Amino acid sequence: QVQLVESGGGLVQAGDSLRLSCAASGGTFSSYAIGWFRQAPGKERSFVAVISRSGVVSTHADSVKGRFTISRDNAKNTASLQMNSLRPEDTAVYYCAAANMYYGTRVGNYDYWGQGTQVTVSS
């Protein structure tokens, strides 16, 4: 079983950048696909990005493509989400998640979740 802890959220202005980190412990990190999701107030949790176990393959939601980049370092048991050109609509709690069997974009594909980190983008 893997435990995930996100960090790096904060309050920024539109156009700024943030880098979120996800630290994993208690499992074999390289055996999980890692995804990032976000949830704004009153909305459902939505897919942001996913990266394969090896880190070779990644997929980003259309809403963040070209602005956000997911990455991972299996030697350090960490994953990151680099967020550039932030917009007010990116405001949400961001979660990292680990999937044992799937490389997916759905919440149900993931087995383990972190507690989330708040990102607030002011206009």
Side-chain angles (χ1 to χ4, degrees):
Q1 184 170 347
V2 64
Q3 291 81 45
L4 304 170
V5 178
E6 303 94 336
S7 61
L11 172 63
V12 297
Q13 293 187 333
D16 286 350
S17 298
L18 273 178
R19 186 176 182 88
L20 304 184
S21 294
C22 175
S25 62
T28 304
F29 184 67
S30 59
S31 67
Y32 297 94
I34 298 296
W36 285 95
F37 289 75
R38 64 187 181 185
Q39 188 165 18
K43 296 188 176 180
E44 293 186 351
R45 195 168 296 189
S46 63
F47 169 75
V48 175
V50 57
I51 191 165
S52 65
R53 292 165 181 79
S54 65
V56 171
V57 179
S58 64
T59 301
H60 296 76
D62 288 343
S63 59
V64 306
K65 203 170 291 184
R67 300 188 299 122
F68 292 11
T69 303
I70 190 171
S71 61
R72 68 187 297 163
D73 185 337
N74 285 343
K76 296 182 178 179
N77 289 350
T78 59
S80 297
L81 185 69
Q82 178 65 42
M83 305 187 297
N84 299 329
S85 302
L86 282 160
R87 304 168 180 168
E89 54 264 39
D90 295 320
T91 295
V93 177
Y94 283 72
Y95 299 89
C96 72
N100 196 14
M101 294 184 63
Y102 299 101
Y103 174 90
T105 62
R106 297 184 299 131
V107 170
N109 293 147
Y110 291 82
D111 304 288
Y112 304 104
W113 293 82
Q115 83 290 347
T117 185
Q118 176 71 46
V119 172
T120 304
V121 185
S122 64
S123 56

